Amino acid sequence: MALLFQPIQFGQLQLANKIIIAPMCQYSATEQGEPTFWHEQQWSKYALSGAGLYIIEATAVQPEGRISYADLGLWNDFQANKIKAIITKVKSISPMPIAVQLAHAGRKASVSKPWESGQQIPQTDTKGWQTVSASDLPFRSEDVTPLALDNTDIQKVIADFATAAKRAVDAGFDLIEIHAAHGYLLHQFLSPLSNQRDDEYGGSLENRLHLTLEVFKAIQNAVPQNFPIGVRISATDWMDEQGGWDVQSSIKLAEQLEQLGAVYIHVSSAGLHIAQKIKIQSSYQVPFAQAIKQHVQIPVIAVGLITDAIQAEEILQNEQADAIGLARAILYDPNWPWHAAAALGEKIQIAPQYLRSQPHGVKDLFTAF
């Protein structure tokens, strides 16, 4: 059997295969952070894709933690109940586990939708607010200067991650992913380019790791024992010459997260600094996953311009990663796992209503849930 279609364990959660639908912001929530019909149809579509796990988009733990005014939230029970209603529907048509990525955007918050301008909205606008960060350094020079979080604010962020995690469990999610990547708040504390603090949350690498590790422990203490928690990181800022966050720092973080009980490390990169220089090519982030995999025993998820089944299988065969994360590729083709199974000569479980759609000449591709 192709490795891509073998089961994998994330802690006590078993997945049918190693295809992970990575989080993709949809900018389609209400201004109150509640899901809409867009989310219902999208989650249902992915649940019927045959992938092993779907991680829904970055979901804010505080109102000011949203990337945009149209982002999902889990900072109140009303949002949680709306999400729970959709998850209940989705799970009635598919056994696929569903996860949530809990997030805080920090200084990269308060922006418009990407198809509008994607620029930061000032707090004087009804759709904008004051941003916060590790230090008072804006992401772009034209952005409003973020407020540096004091210790009281930091403890509130940690507590709100934990409370959102409780809501996530109650809403029916099967796994929680902590968003510590792409230049958002936790990443802002990790990188020396955005963290110029001189307290216990800044300075040394050990200090800069504190917030991410404390958020992990707070969530772990808030959810049922052995509930699976994974972490998404940016392995590098792509600014090594400027002294940015790098792969060696990511290895240290991954090792400590493994010791705490993380069930996987989801390895992306970049997003922290406007001057980043990314060498984009096929599988361009996979070497980062491979480097981290050599230092941890828990599964490592690779992402980054992985677009076809043969490419994904080769990454697994070459032991560069343990699972494959897809984002834009599956947004473009929600039935990507079906086509991957056909290309690799494997079977895939689908809803019985689709059994008649098996292509002529592709024998025994489908089995029913």
Side-chain angles (χ1 to χ4, degrees), residues 46-278:
Y46 290 147
L48 294 170
S49 72
L53 176 70
Y54 172 38
I55 310 171
I56 73 163
E57 65 194 85
T59 301
V61 302
Q62 294 180 339
E64 58 271 28
R66 292 171 293 169
I67 300 168
S68 79
Y69 62 86
D71 281 16
L72 275 182
L74 261 176
W75 66 79
N76 65 45
D77 292 340
F78 198 67
Q79 295 159 341
N81 290 336
K82 289 282 187 87
I83 289 172
K84 183 176 183 176
I86 296 177
I87 290 178
T88 299
K89 287 183 181 180
V90 173
K91 289 192 172 185
S92 74
I93 62 171
S94 169
M96 179 194 293
I98 305 175
V100 62
Q101 184 186 67
L102 296 182
H104 192 301
R107 69 181 187 178
K108 292 179 73 175
S110 189
V111 301
S112 64
K113 298 176 183 180
W115 54 84
E116 292 171 348
S117 74
Q119 299 300 305
Q120 194 167 71
I121 301 172
Q123 65 183 111
T124 52
D125 190 295
T126 56
K127 293 181 178 179
W129 58 88
Q130 174 64 57
T131 59
V132 299
S133 187
S135 300
D136 57 354
L137 302 170
F139 178 60
R140 297 183 180 90
S141 59
E142 64 268 26
D143 288 350
V144 174
T145 300
L147 297 178
L149 294 170
D150 63 22
N151 194 271
T152 300
D153 298 327
I154 289 172
Q155 297 310 309
K156 180 69 163 58
V157 168
I158 294 169
D160 287 346
F161 265 99
T163 304
K166 288 182 184 177
R167 292 192 179 100
V169 173
D170 292 342
F173 288 110
D174 301 288
L175 179 147
I176 290 168
E177 178 173 278
I178 298 170
H179 198 357
H182 299 161
Y184 298 121
L185 184 64
L186 299 186
H187 187 182
Q188 290 160 31
F189 272 80
L190 292 170
S191 176
L193 298 180
S194 50
N195 183 345
Q196 297 184 3
R197 305 173 70 93
D198 57 7
D199 62 3
E200 66 269 32
Y201 291 99
S204 68
L205 173 61
E206 181 182 3
N207 283 1
R208 287 183 279 112
L209 298 182
H210 278 168
L211 181 57
T212 298
L213 298 177
E214 288 178 12
V215 165
F216 184 93
K217 288 185 282 189
I219 288 177
Q220 191 176 50
N221 291 332
V223 300
Q225 188 175 10
N226 296 321
F227 188 88
I229 308 167
V231 183
R232 192 172 209 192
I233 67 171
S234 278
T236 176
D237 290 338
W238 291 91
M239 296 188 68
D240 289 359
E241 292 181 4
Q242 294 83 1
W245 179 258
D246 58 16
V247 175
Q248 290 305 312
S249 301
S250 291
I251 289 169
K252 294 290 186 184
L253 174 59
E255 289 174 336
Q256 293 198 37
L257 288 167
E258 179 180 29
Q259 291 174 8
L260 291 177
V263 299
Y264 67 71
I265 305 296
H266 193 171
V267 183
S268 187
S269 73
L272 188 282
H273 201 284
I274 197 68
Q276 65 190 14
K277 301 294 183 184
I278 305 175

Side-chain angles (χ1 to χ4, degrees), residues 2 4-5 16-22 45-54 96 306-310 312 324-327 329-350 359 362 365-366 369:
L4 188 63
F5 285 92
N17 58 56
K18 298 174 181 176
I19 302 170
I20 312 300
I21 302 178
K45 184 186 298 182
Y46 290 147
L48 294 170
S49 72
L53 176 70
Y54 172 38
M96 179 194 293
I306 303 170
T307 56
D308 68 72
I310 303 300
I324 301 297
L326 301 173
I330 207 159
L331 189 63
Y332 178 73
D333 177 10
N335 289 333
W336 191 96
W338 296 14
H339 305 145
L344 295 172
E346 295 294 337
K347 291 180 181 288
I348 189 166
Q349 284 193 322
I350 66 167
V362 182
L365 173 63
F366 293 150
F369 292 145

Side-chain angles (χ1 to χ4, degrees), residues 271-312:
L272 188 282
H273 201 284
I274 197 68
Q276 65 190 14
K277 301 294 183 184
I278 305 175
K279 299 174 184 177
I280 296 180
Q281 56 188 338
S282 179
S283 300
Y284 72 104
Q285 296 181 135
V286 173
F288 305 138
Q290 182 178 15
I292 291 170
K293 178 174 165 55
Q294 293 171 0
H295 293 269
V296 296
Q297 300 301 311
I298 56 176
V300 172
I301 305 171
V303 300
L305 275 180
I306 303 170
T307 56
D308 68 72
I310 303 300
Q311 175 192 12

